[in-house]
Amino acid sequence: MDYSNYFEILYDYKRKEIGTEEKSILFKIINNADLSSQIGSYLKLRDKTQPGDNSSISKLIGSKLLVEKKGLILRGMRKYQLSSSGLFHVLSETISYPPYLLKKYSNDPILLTLLYQYFEVDTIESSTARFYSIITQYLKQCCRITQNWLEDTQNSNEEHKNKLMNDLLFELELNPKLLAFRILIMYSDSNILSLTSKSKTGDTDVAYYEIESQMKEILSKDKKFINLLQKINTEFKEGYKEFTSSN
């Protein structure tokens, strides 16, 4: 996989400390809420103050977490969206966010690199709560690993940077394989049954079982995910052969 766009976007990224008001605006953008009041206030401030004012939206733009959406201005209100750096911040720092976010930014290089080379957009959009939970955990892990690498390389020489880069690439390529292995185990019929909640009478919640079974069927029809499984299967067989033939 080519990670050049991913690294180009994040090369100068630094962890952002943002205030309560900025977090509130990000939360609304993440959840696709109406920002008219905040944006209207920002426009008034912008017209009355000097550049570099302390408005929340101005801070988020200055931190490269937000960008203005291209296109027409609706009723004098500008529209904003997460930048790639802003999306990376959300994936690594936010506890929860809706599946809608992963669809809305499905063409962003961050998600194209970490997620959508392994899954179709429709699969993620159809996520059950259980499946979506492991997807968000996976994304956070990838972002945290990348963030640690960025911090470790700030004052490193080129030789050490190259070593750390190789380590990062190994981890980024390993994580989706571990994710796929986890999905395989979690969605075996026996584990779907064992993880399905029970009613007061002790019977399996049939509706819940059917929902997870449908998720399994969706995954089985996802060509990108099946391609990932095939690669893992090949690597596993080769590794197994090497280990067992040496005895």
Side-chain angles (χ1 to χ4, degrees), residues 32-181:
N32 203 33
D34 182 16
L35 277 179
S36 298
S37 59
Q38 285 84 356
I39 294 174
S41 298
Y42 166 66
L43 290 174
K44 291 177 183 178
L45 282 170
R46 192 189 63 174
D47 292 338
K48 294 179 180 179
T49 60
Q50 297 298 319
D53 62 72
N54 292 323
S55 72
S56 298
I57 290 179
S58 179
K59 285 182 179 180
L60 290 170
I61 293 173
S63 298
K64 299 181 180 180
L65 298 180
L66 284 188
V67 293
E68 186 175 332
K69 291 180 70 173
K70 296 179 180 179
L72 296 175
I73 298 175
L74 181 62
R75 292 181 296 178
M77 298 297 182
R78 283 175 167 78
K79 298 292 183 180
Y80 296 89
Q81 65 184 22
L82 295 172
S83 63
S84 291
S85 294
L87 179 61
F88 183 83
H89 173 86
V90 169
L91 297 178
S92 57
E93 303 293 340
T94 306
I95 295 175
S96 64
Y97 44 85
Y100 162 83
L101 185 78
L102 300 183
K103 180 181 180 181
K104 180 178 180 180
Y105 293 94
S106 59
N107 289 321
D108 188 278
I110 303 296
L111 289 178
L112 286 174
T113 300
L114 298 180
L115 187 62
Y116 289 120
Q117 61 169 319
Y118 307 117
F119 299 95
E120 300 288 352
V121 175
D122 289 345
T123 299
I124 302 301
E125 187 180 12
S126 303
S127 297
T128 62
R130 182 186 294 175
F131 178 73
Y132 187 66
S133 175
I134 64 171
I135 290 296
T136 56
Q137 289 174 35
Y138 157 76
L139 289 172
K140 176 169 285 191
Q141 177 71 4
C142 289
C143 291
R144 287 292 175 86
I145 290 171
T146 304
Q147 197 163 260
N148 291 338
W149 172 80
L150 290 167
E151 293 172 356
D152 290 342
T153 56
Q154 284 181 359
N155 299 313
S156 300
N157 57 41
E158 286 304 314
E159 182 179 354
H160 189 52
K161 280 185 179 180
N162 290 334
K163 179 185 181 304
L164 292 175
M165 172 65 81
N166 290 333
D167 292 343
L168 174 61
L169 288 172
F170 176 80
E171 292 294 334
L172 289 177
E173 291 174 356
L174 176 63
N175 273 355
K177 297 172 185 176
L178 296 176
L179 171 65
F181 188 66

Side-chain angles (χ1 to χ4, degrees), residues 181-193:
F181 188 66
R182 184 178 180 183
I183 291 171
L184 282 180
I185 294 175
M186 191 169 74
Y187 279 95
S188 68
D189 286 341
S190 59
N191 280 328
I192 292 177
L193 275 172

